[in-house]
């Protein structure tokens, strides 16, 4: 089992910056990748950014160049730096961890943190 707890959401104006944090606990040794997803109002959840245990990152086209994902392996944490925010970045942001051991792969999710960007 992996437990994920997000923090850092809030309300801000367009163009501003924000940093989201996600702390992992439990069976973290077998986490192969972590990421951030978001769910805009009335829409489906979508990938924002991900990072593998090897440090390979992947970003949605809509946030490329504005957002940055990073990890702190010692603290078992993943961060998302949101710069140059836009109103369309509004949504609930969820932390995700991919847990892999032998032939078993599981997805774990945090409870989500609200990010609201006003124009």
């Amino acid at each position: 089992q992996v437990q994920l707890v997000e923090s850092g959401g809030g309300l801000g104006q367009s163009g501003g910056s924000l940093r989201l944090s996600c702390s992992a606990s439990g069976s973290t040794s077998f986490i192969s990748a972590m990421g951030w997803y978001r769910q805009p109002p009335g829409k489906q959840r979508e990938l924002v950014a991900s990072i593998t245990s090897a440090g390979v990152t992947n970003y949605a086209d809509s946030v490329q160049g504005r957002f940055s994902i990073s990890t702190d392996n010692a603290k078992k944490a993943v961060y998302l730096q949101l710069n140059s925010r836009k109103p369309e970045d509004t949504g609930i942001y969820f932390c995700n961890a991919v847990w892999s051991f032998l032939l078993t792969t599981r997805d774990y999710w945090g409870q989500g943190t609200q990010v609201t960007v006003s124009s």
Side-chain angles (χ1 to χ4, degrees), residues 31-34 51-57 71 73:
I31 292 177
S32 58
M34 297 189 75
I51 184 167
T52 69
S53 56
V56 178
T57 58
T71 58
N73 290 328

Side-chain angles (χ1 to χ4, degrees), residues 2-42:
V2 174
Q3 294 79 41
L4 302 171
V5 178
E6 304 105 331
S7 61
L11 172 64
Q13 291 189 328
S14 181
S17 297
L18 189 70
R19 189 192 195 207
L20 305 182
S21 300
C22 173
S23 296
S25 61
S27 301
T28 60
S29 297
F30 299 104
I31 292 177
S32 58
M34 297 189 75
W36 289 92
Y37 287 70
R38 69 185 178 192
Q39 187 165 12

Side-chain angles (χ1 to χ4, degrees), residues 22-80:
C22 173
S23 296
S25 61
S27 301
T28 60
S29 297
F30 299 104
I31 292 177
S32 58
M34 297 189 75
W36 289 92
Y37 287 70
R38 69 185 178 192
Q39 187 165 12
K43 297 184 179 181
Q44 292 186 338
R45 193 175 299 189
E46 61 186 14
L47 173 68
V48 177
S50 64
I51 184 167
T52 69
S53 56
V56 178
T57 58
N58 180 46
Y59 294 93
D61 290 343
S62 59
V63 307
Q64 184 76 43
R66 299 188 298 120
F67 291 8
S68 178
I69 189 170
S70 61
T71 58
D72 184 330
N73 290 328
K75 295 182 179 179
K76 307 296 184 185
V78 62
Y79 308 98
L80 185 68

